[in-house]
Amino acid sequence: MSVWEYECHKTAPWDKVEAHLIEKTVGGGLREAGKIVALAVLNGMVEAIVNRAFKEAYGAIKSLRAEASEKKRLYHTLFPFIPEAQTFVGERYPWMSESRQVSVADIQAMGDALDAKVYMECGFFLKKPKVGGTKDPVDFNGHLVSVGGPIPNRYTRNLMYGPAVNLPYRFRLDVHDTLKDKNLDELREAGVKQGEREPEWLIADEAGKIAQIFGAPSKPLVRGAGLDWLTDYFMIIKSRNACPGAEEFKSLVLAGCHGPGSRAAAMALKDVKILKLIEDTVGDADFQALGRVSLSSAGDLVASTIAVDKDTIKKL
């Protein structure tokens, strides 16, 4: 019996795939900065132009503009469907009140994912999102951006363990023998509902063997006996929509072994080097890629450590 046939890896009925759509607040620091620069020029601040500090700042601005232009090009090459996509998260804690069912890490990841969407349209990042007051239904017959792994997010689960997309890598949820026969609701409660740390979900290949990312097993590390993660792993999947009847549409899945990994997957979309690495490897084709992130001693995600392993970027 394959490990992927265990109860813990079973898909969910599509009419039971719950999701939270996210509202986006409007703002724009770069737009306001542009207004300030324009006013300064109009006011005849000629001396500032020849000032060395201004020249250095102007050089930095040119560099940022060049990076922004390249980032926008990469977005439109790799993910041209994002502007029309619905972006959503699943429920991590369904036994809690509705406003607390979504994990904080998934909300943060949603902000980074939506930044990519808005950046394609506007060329700048907006303020962070907030979860709407109600759980809104997602129309799965369209382009999708799914944030979160197969524990909180049932769309991610159905894509990963269902027949629609053949993935080189999947999350293994039977990390302890007692978990292999548990259903999704039981997996969501494992550890967390008892106030303990959730199991160390890991990434495995098609044969069920633990995947190697940068030469190390993709099993998240914990800090001592506490609840904080030391490292986490994630995957980015661009594929056709896994929902029956919606195969003409695309989906982007941003999923970590745990919350920090999901956020790192979304933050990776802001990294030009990572986006270029993916383009150089698969062009504009569908793909799956694996990555790693480290956390600080305070348990905060360290953005500079987010990296995608080139050897794990596979064309689908």
PDB file of all heavy atoms in Angstrom, residues 22-27 107-115 125-131 263 267 270:
ATOM      1  N   ILE A  22     -10.178  37.403   0.940  1.00  0.00           N
ATOM      2  CA  ILE A  22      -9.543  38.454   1.732  1.00  0.00           C
ATOM      3  C   ILE A  22      -9.824  39.827   1.132  1.00  0.00           C
ATOM      4  O   ILE A  22      -9.792  40.010  -0.080  1.00  0.00           O
ATOM      5  CB  ILE A  22      -8.020  38.228   1.790  1.00  0.00           C
ATOM      6  CG1 ILE A  22      -7.711  36.865   2.399  1.00  0.00           C
ATOM      7  CG2 ILE A  22      -7.314  39.318   2.567  1.00  0.00           C
ATOM      8  CD1 ILE A  22      -8.164  36.686   3.823  1.00  0.00           C
ATOM      9  N   GLU A  23     -10.110  40.783   2.008  1.00  0.00           N
ATOM     10  CA  GLU A  23     -10.279  42.165   1.572  1.00  0.00           C
ATOM     11  C   GLU A  23      -8.922  42.852   1.574  1.00  0.00           C
ATOM     12  O   GLU A  23      -8.050  42.528   2.374  1.00  0.00           O
ATOM     13  CB  GLU A  23     -11.218  42.913   2.520  1.00  0.00           C
ATOM     14  CG  GLU A  23     -12.631  42.336   2.534  1.00  0.00           C
ATOM     15  CD  GLU A  23     -13.495  43.006   3.572  1.00  0.00           C
ATOM     16  OE1 GLU A  23     -12.950  43.791   4.374  1.00  0.00           O
ATOM     17  OE2 GLU A  23     -14.705  42.744   3.582  1.00  0.00           O
ATOM     18  N   LYS A  24      -8.754  43.824   0.683  1.00  0.00           N
ATOM     19  CA  LYS A  24      -7.482  44.542   0.591  1.00  0.00           C
ATOM     20  C   LYS A  24      -7.694  46.018   0.894  1.00  0.00           C
ATOM     21  O   LYS A  24      -8.564  46.664   0.321  1.00  0.00           O
ATOM     22  CB  LYS A  24      -6.917  44.390  -0.833  1.00  0.00           C
ATOM     23  CG  LYS A  24      -5.497  44.895  -0.980  1.00  0.00           C
ATOM     24  CD  LYS A  24      -4.488  43.965  -0.330  1.00  0.00           C
ATOM     25  CE  LYS A  24      -3.082  44.479  -0.524  1.00  0.00           C
ATOM     26  NZ  LYS A  24      -2.087  43.641   0.093  1.00  0.00           N
ATOM     27  N   THR A  25      -6.904  46.573   1.818  1.00  0.00           N
ATOM     28  CA  THR A  25      -6.972  47.994   2.099  1.00  0.00           C
ATOM     29  C   THR A  25      -6.159  48.739   1.054  1.00  0.00           C
ATOM     30  O   THR A  25      -5.235  48.202   0.469  1.00  0.00           O
ATOM     31  CB  THR A  25      -6.417  48.310   3.505  1.00  0.00           C
ATOM     32  OG1 THR A  25      -5.076  47.839   3.584  1.00  0.00           O
ATOM     33  CG2 THR A  25      -7.249  47.626   4.568  1.00  0.00           C
ATOM     34  N   VAL A  26      -6.527  49.970   0.802  1.00  0.00           N
ATOM     35  CA  VAL A  26      -5.899  50.734  -0.278  1.00  0.00           C
ATOM     36  C   VAL A  26      -4.908  51.732   0.297  1.00  0.00           C
ATOM     37  O   VAL A  26      -5.156  52.395   1.282  1.00  0.00           O
ATOM     38  CB  VAL A  26      -6.971  51.465  -1.121  1.00  0.00           C
ATOM     39  CG1 VAL A  26      -6.316  52.300  -2.206  1.00  0.00           C
ATOM     40  CG2 VAL A  26      -7.919  50.446  -1.734  1.00  0.00           C
ATOM     41  N   GLY A  27      -3.790  51.876  -0.343  1.00  0.00           N
ATOM     42  CA  GLY A  27      -2.765  52.840   0.037  1.00  0.00           C
ATOM     43  C   GLY A  27      -1.667  52.757  -0.969  1.00  0.00           C
ATOM     44  O   GLY A  27      -1.776  52.078  -1.975  1.00  0.00           O
ATOM     45  N   ILE A 107      -2.776  34.642   6.952  1.00  0.00           N
ATOM     46  CA  ILE A 107      -3.210  36.009   6.650  1.00  0.00           C
ATOM     47  C   ILE A 107      -2.029  36.835   6.160  1.00  0.00           C
ATOM     48  O   ILE A 107      -2.118  37.584   5.185  1.00  0.00           O
ATOM     49  CB  ILE A 107      -3.847  36.661   7.890  1.00  0.00           C
ATOM     50  CG1 ILE A 107      -5.152  35.948   8.256  1.00  0.00           C
ATOM     51  CG2 ILE A 107      -4.129  38.147   7.619  1.00  0.00           C
ATOM     52  CD1 ILE A 107      -5.749  36.413   9.560  1.00  0.00           C
ATOM     53  N   GLN A 108      -0.883  36.695   6.836  1.00  0.00           N
ATOM     54  CA  GLN A 108       0.315  37.418   6.407  1.00  0.00           C
ATOM     55  C   GLN A 108       0.752  36.969   5.020  1.00  0.00           C
ATOM     56  O   GLN A 108       1.127  37.780   4.178  1.00  0.00           O
ATOM     57  CB  GLN A 108       1.434  37.191   7.425  1.00  0.00           C
ATOM     58  CG  GLN A 108       1.168  37.817   8.779  1.00  0.00           C
ATOM     59  CD  GLN A 108       2.196  37.408   9.823  1.00  0.00           C
ATOM     60  OE1 GLN A 108       2.743  36.306   9.781  1.00  0.00           O
ATOM     61  NE2 GLN A 108       2.462  38.292  10.756  1.00  0.00           N
ATOM     62  N   ALA A 109       0.698  35.658   4.773  1.00  0.00           N
ATOM     63  CA  ALA A 109       1.048  35.142   3.458  1.00  0.00           C
ATOM     64  C   ALA A 109       0.108  35.683   2.396  1.00  0.00           C
ATOM     65  O   ALA A 109       0.520  35.983   1.271  1.00  0.00           O
ATOM     66  CB  ALA A 109       1.017  33.615   3.465  1.00  0.00           C
ATOM     67  N   MET A 110      -1.163  35.819   2.750  1.00  0.00           N
ATOM     68  CA  MET A 110      -2.129  36.363   1.819  1.00  0.00           C
ATOM     69  C   MET A 110      -1.745  37.780   1.406  1.00  0.00           C
ATOM     70  O   MET A 110      -1.869  38.164   0.237  1.00  0.00           O
ATOM     71  CB  MET A 110      -3.513  36.376   2.467  1.00  0.00           C
ATOM     72  CG  MET A 110      -4.601  36.970   1.598  1.00  0.00           C
ATOM     73  SD  MET A 110      -4.914  35.969   0.164  1.00  0.00           S
ATOM     74  CE  MET A 110      -5.751  34.594   0.928  1.00  0.00           C
ATOM     75  N   GLY A 111      -1.257  38.558   2.361  1.00  0.00           N
ATOM     76  CA  GLY A 111      -0.832  39.920   2.045  1.00  0.00           C
ATOM     77  C   GLY A 111       0.258  39.935   0.995  1.00  0.00           C
ATOM     78  O   GLY A 111       0.228  40.721   0.047  1.00  0.00           O
ATOM     79  N   ASP A 112       1.230  39.036   1.128  1.00  0.00           N
ATOM     80  CA  ASP A 112       2.331  38.982   0.168  1.00  0.00           C
ATOM     81  C   ASP A 112       1.839  38.485  -1.189  1.00  0.00           C
ATOM     82  O   ASP A 112       2.302  38.950  -2.236  1.00  0.00           O
ATOM     83  CB  ASP A 112       3.436  38.068   0.703  1.00  0.00           C
ATOM     84  CG  ASP A 112       4.041  38.619   1.984  1.00  0.00           C
ATOM     85  OD1 ASP A 112       4.566  39.742   1.944  1.00  0.00           O
ATOM     86  OD2 ASP A 112       3.982  37.938   3.020  1.00  0.00           O
ATOM     87  N   ALA A 113       0.920  37.533  -1.196  1.00  0.00           N
ATOM     88  CA  ALA A 113       0.373  37.029  -2.456  1.00  0.00           C
ATOM     89  C   ALA A 113      -0.429  38.112  -3.174  1.00  0.00           C
ATOM     90  O   ALA A 113      -0.319  38.287  -4.391  1.00  0.00           O
ATOM     91  CB  ALA A 113      -0.505  35.805  -2.196  1.00  0.00           C
ATOM     92  N   LEU A 114      -1.235  38.852  -2.433  1.00  0.00           N
ATOM     93  CA  LEU A 114      -2.019  39.916  -3.037  1.00  0.00           C
ATOM     94  C   LEU A 114      -1.138  41.061  -3.515  1.00  0.00           C
ATOM     95  O   LEU A 114      -1.460  41.743  -4.485  1.00  0.00           O
ATOM     96  CB  LEU A 114      -3.058  40.434  -2.037  1.00  0.00           C
ATOM     97  CG  LEU A 114      -4.280  39.538  -1.847  1.00  0.00           C
ATOM     98  CD1 LEU A 114      -5.129  40.047  -0.696  1.00  0.00           C
ATOM     99  CD2 LEU A 114      -5.105  39.478  -3.119  1.00  0.00           C
ATOM    100  N   ASP A 115       0.002  41.272  -2.848  1.00  0.00           N
ATOM    101  CA  ASP A 115       0.940  42.291  -3.310  1.00  0.00           C
ATOM    102  C   ASP A 115       1.367  42.013  -4.742  1.00  0.00           C
ATOM    103  O   ASP A 115       1.482  42.924  -5.567  1.00  0.00           O
ATOM    104  CB  ASP A 115       2.183  42.322  -2.403  1.00  0.00           C
ATOM    105  CG  ASP A 115       1.979  43.191  -1.171  1.00  0.00           C
ATOM    106  OD1 ASP A 115       1.041  44.007  -1.175  1.00  0.00           O
ATOM    107  OD2 ASP A 115       2.755  43.054  -0.213  1.00  0.00           O
ATOM    108  N   PHE A 125       3.389  48.254  -4.214  1.00  0.00           N
ATOM    109  CA  PHE A 125       2.738  47.418  -3.217  1.00  0.00           C
ATOM    110  C   PHE A 125       1.768  48.249  -2.384  1.00  0.00           C
ATOM    111  O   PHE A 125       1.994  49.431  -2.124  1.00  0.00           O
ATOM    112  CB  PHE A 125       3.776  46.774  -2.286  1.00  0.00           C
ATOM    113  CG  PHE A 125       4.646  45.786  -2.994  1.00  0.00           C
ATOM    114  CD1 PHE A 125       6.024  45.946  -3.011  1.00  0.00           C
ATOM    115  CD2 PHE A 125       4.101  44.699  -3.645  1.00  0.00           C
ATOM    116  CE1 PHE A 125       6.832  45.040  -3.671  1.00  0.00           C
ATOM    117  CE2 PHE A 125       4.891  43.785  -4.299  1.00  0.00           C
ATOM    118  CZ  PHE A 125       6.271  43.954  -4.312  1.00  0.00           C
ATOM    119  N   LEU A 126       0.700  47.618  -1.953  1.00  0.00           N
ATOM    120  CA  LEU A 126      -0.293  48.275  -1.112  1.00  0.00           C
ATOM    121  C   LEU A 126      -0.109  47.891   0.344  1.00  0.00           C
ATOM    122  O   LEU A 126       0.799  47.151   0.698  1.00  0.00           O
ATOM    123  CB  LEU A 126      -1.701  47.887  -1.571  1.00  0.00           C
ATOM    124  CG  LEU A 126      -2.061  48.266  -3.013  1.00  0.00           C
ATOM    125  CD1 LEU A 126      -3.511  47.893  -3.277  1.00  0.00           C
ATOM    126  CD2 LEU A 126      -1.862  49.741  -3.263  1.00  0.00           C
ATOM    127  N   LYS A 127      -1.005  48.396   1.182  1.00  0.00           N
ATOM    128  CA  LYS A 127      -0.961  48.040   2.600  1.00  0.00           C
ATOM    129  C   LYS A 127      -1.396  46.596   2.801  1.00  0.00           C
ATOM    130  O   LYS A 127      -1.926  45.965   1.901  1.00  0.00           O
ATOM    131  CB  LYS A 127      -1.871  48.994   3.391  1.00  0.00           C
ATOM    132  CG  LYS A 127      -1.393  50.445   3.360  1.00  0.00           C
ATOM    133  CD  LYS A 127      -2.365  51.349   4.106  1.00  0.00           C
ATOM    134  CE  LYS A 127      -1.904  52.797   4.047  1.00  0.00           C
ATOM    135  NZ  LYS A 127      -2.858  53.693   4.738  1.00  0.00           N
ATOM    136  N   LYS A 128      -1.182  46.090   3.985  1.00  0.00           N
ATOM    137  CA  LYS A 128      -1.481  44.685   4.267  1.00  0.00           C
ATOM    138  C   LYS A 128      -2.994  44.418   4.297  1.00  0.00           C
ATOM    139  O   LYS A 128      -3.786  45.311   4.564  1.00  0.00           O
ATOM    140  CB  LYS A 128      -0.854  44.272   5.604  1.00  0.00           C
ATOM    141  CG  LYS A 128       0.670  44.249   5.539  1.00  0.00           C
ATOM    142  CD  LYS A 128       1.145  43.323   4.444  1.00  0.00           C
ATOM    143  CE  LYS A 128       2.651  43.363   4.320  1.00  0.00           C
ATOM    144  NZ  LYS A 128       3.116  42.588   3.153  1.00  0.00           N
ATOM    145  N   PRO A 129      -3.400  43.183   4.027  1.00  0.00           N
ATOM    146  CA  PRO A 129      -4.821  42.870   3.951  1.00  0.00           C
ATOM    147  C   PRO A 129      -5.432  42.572   5.308  1.00  0.00           C
ATOM    148  O   PRO A 129      -4.737  42.462   6.314  1.00  0.00           O
ATOM    149  CB  PRO A 129      -4.837  41.612   3.085  1.00  0.00           C
ATOM    150  CG  PRO A 129      -3.575  40.934   3.486  1.00  0.00           C
ATOM    151  CD  PRO A 129      -2.576  42.039   3.733  1.00  0.00           C
ATOM    152  N   LYS A 130      -6.704  42.428   5.311  1.00  0.00           N
ATOM    153  CA  LYS A 130      -7.389  41.988   6.518  1.00  0.00           C
ATOM    154  C   LYS A 130      -8.460  40.995   6.113  1.00  0.00           C
ATOM    155  O   LYS A 130      -9.015  41.053   5.009  1.00  0.00           O
ATOM    156  CB  LYS A 130      -8.018  43.173   7.240  1.00  0.00           C
ATOM    157  CG  LYS A 130      -9.012  43.970   6.401  1.00  0.00           C
ATOM    158  CD  LYS A 130      -9.532  45.168   7.162  1.00  0.00           C
ATOM    159  CE  LYS A 130     -10.500  45.984   6.311  1.00  0.00           C
ATOM    160  NZ  LYS A 130     -10.999  47.165   7.042  1.00  0.00           N
ATOM    161  N   VAL A 131      -8.754  40.051   6.997  1.00  0.00           N
ATOM    162  CA  VAL A 131      -9.791  39.072   6.699  1.00  0.00           C
ATOM    163  C   VAL A 131     -11.158  39.725   6.813  1.00  0.00           C
ATOM    164  O   VAL A 131     -11.411  40.496   7.733  1.00  0.00           O
ATOM    165  CB  VAL A 131      -9.700  37.884   7.679  1.00  0.00           C
ATOM    166  CG1 VAL A 131     -10.817  36.888   7.415  1.00  0.00           C
ATOM    167  CG2 VAL A 131      -8.355  37.204   7.551  1.00  0.00           C
ATOM    168  N   ARG A 263       4.069  31.533   4.421  1.00  0.00           N
ATOM    169  CA  ARG A 263       4.363  32.954   4.212  1.00  0.00           C
ATOM    170  C   ARG A 263       5.630  33.127   3.372  1.00  0.00           C
ATOM    171  O   ARG A 263       5.708  34.005   2.517  1.00  0.00           O
ATOM    172  CB  ARG A 263       4.520  33.674   5.547  1.00  0.00           C
ATOM    173  CG  ARG A 263       4.593  35.172   5.285  1.00  0.00           C
ATOM    174  CD  ARG A 263       4.702  36.053   6.468  1.00  0.00           C
ATOM    175  NE  ARG A 263       4.646  37.440   6.025  1.00  0.00           N
ATOM    176  CZ  ARG A 263       5.074  38.465   6.737  1.00  0.00           C
ATOM    177  NH1 ARG A 263       5.589  38.270   7.925  1.00  0.00           N
ATOM    178  NH2 ARG A 263       4.992  39.675   6.249  1.00  0.00           N
ATOM    179  N   MET A 267       6.194  35.287   0.048  1.00  0.00           N
ATOM    180  CA  MET A 267       7.226  36.326   0.004  1.00  0.00           C
ATOM    181  C   MET A 267       8.233  36.075  -1.107  1.00  0.00           C
ATOM    182  O   MET A 267       8.832  37.010  -1.644  1.00  0.00           O
ATOM    183  CB  MET A 267       7.931  36.417   1.359  1.00  0.00           C
ATOM    184  CG  MET A 267       7.057  36.969   2.466  1.00  0.00           C
ATOM    185  SD  MET A 267       7.903  37.025   4.081  1.00  0.00           S
ATOM    186  CE  MET A 267       9.127  38.316   3.772  1.00  0.00           C
ATOM    187  N   LYS A 270       8.140  38.052  -4.296  1.00  0.00           N
ATOM    188  CA  LYS A 270       8.655  39.417  -4.357  1.00  0.00           C
ATOM    189  C   LYS A 270      10.143  39.470  -4.685  1.00  0.00           C
ATOM    190  O   LYS A 270      10.705  40.548  -4.866  1.00  0.00           O
ATOM    191  CB  LYS A 270       8.429  40.121  -3.015  1.00  0.00           C
ATOM    192  CG  LYS A 270       6.978  40.264  -2.611  1.00  0.00           C
ATOM    193  CD  LYS A 270       6.890  41.030  -1.298  1.00  0.00           C
ATOM    194  CE  LYS A 270       5.468  41.228  -0.856  1.00  0.00           C
ATOM    195  NZ  LYS A 270       5.358  42.047   0.364  1.00  0.00           N
TER     196      LYS A 270
END
